[in-house]
Amino acid sequence: DLQDSRPGASSGNERCNAMKSLLVLVLAWALAGCVTSPPGGAAAPGPAPVLQQGPDLFAELDRRAGAAENVFFSPVSIEQAFGLLHGGTGGETKSQLEAFFRWPAGEAAERELQRGRRALLGHGTDADIRLANALWLSDDFRFRPAYLEATRTWYDATAETLDFDGNPTGSARRVNRWAADKTAGLIDEVVSPDKLDSLLMQIDEMG
């Protein structure tokens, strides 16, 4: 749920454009870092209910990467990130997300994702599992307080406004600093200024 705060911009049909706007202007990072327990320690945590399409998605990513490349992705991160988007959409867009991810309708999807996240964090073993969600919001837009509150409630997400267009270097630095902090330095870069600038240019071309 957002409104364009740029001078002269029209609100348009916010619900119909919400999915595109959120994908474009909200960088939703869901980072899951896991350090396995030492030999002789407790058993690894059991599986949590995440991303039923994981094997199919991996197969497609592996096909596109080619035989010479390794592929790594986090099903938890993907589902948590799109869950953050789900809370800001409505109508057909929300229904499409629910159908693709096989989520129950409406708020039940948020409850299901919250249960999955809590199951991972409350595994009761010696493994070090960390999961952090954050919304990085463009300062060109105003986001509805109800949406931001919902992301805090269901996803324990923080929200911070950045000047992606005017200061891509500072924006990327802030996001990367957050990632490094949340993963104890295991992930120190999730976005670079040039990639961020390129992403925004592609979005502008999409309209």
Side-chain angles (χ1 to χ4, degrees), residues 46 57 78 96 163 184:
L57 180 56
I78 292 171
Q96 289 174 343
D163 182 7

Side-chain angles (χ1 to χ4, degrees), residues 33-206:
C34 176
V35 179
T36 57
S37 57
V50 294
L51 196 58
Q52 300 177 55
Q53 299 89 339
D56 293 338
L57 180 56
F58 175 80
E60 177 62 19
L61 292 173
D62 187 52
R63 182 187 68 79
R64 294 191 181 192
E69 299 293 333
N70 292 322
V71 174
F72 170 83
F73 80 106
S74 168
V76 177
S77 296
I78 292 171
E79 195 160 51
Q80 289 286 303
F82 276 94
L84 289 168
L85 293 174
H86 176 266
T89 61
E92 184 179 356
T93 299
K94 185 180 285 287
S95 297
Q96 289 174 343
L97 280 171
E98 291 164 355
F100 177 81
F101 286 99
R102 302 171 193 170
W103 293 334
E107 193 174 276
E110 270 68 53
R111 287 195 293 268
E112 180 174 290
L113 291 171
Q114 185 185 64
R115 283 196 298 270
R117 188 178 70 258
R118 288 178 174 175
L120 284 172
L121 296 176
H123 53 83
T125 75
D126 292 335
D128 182 7
I129 297 180
R130 307 179 187 194
L131 178 60
N133 294 322
L135 292 170
W136 305 99
L137 311 176
S138 168
D139 62 2
D140 283 333
F141 286 78
R142 296 189 305 272
F143 289 78
R144 298 183 189 277
Y147 168 69
L148 300 180
E149 178 60 31
T151 61
R152 283 192 293 270
T153 299
W154 296 113
Y155 300 94
D156 196 25
T158 59
E160 187 170 333
T161 301
L162 299 174
D163 182 7
F164 295 122
D165 188 36
N167 186 14
T169 299
S171 298
R173 184 182 301 117
R174 175 68 189 102
V175 173
N176 291 332
R177 187 166 62 246
W178 173 86
D181 176 65
K182 295 300 181 181
T183 62
L186 294 176
I187 300 175
D188 57 11
E189 181 176 282
V190 293
V191 65
S192 61
D194 60 319
K195 293 293 179 60
L196 183 58
D197 188 54
S198 174
L199 172 63
L200 293 174
M201 288 177 62
Q202 292 178 43
I203 296 310
D204 286 339
E205 291 174 0
M206 289 170 57

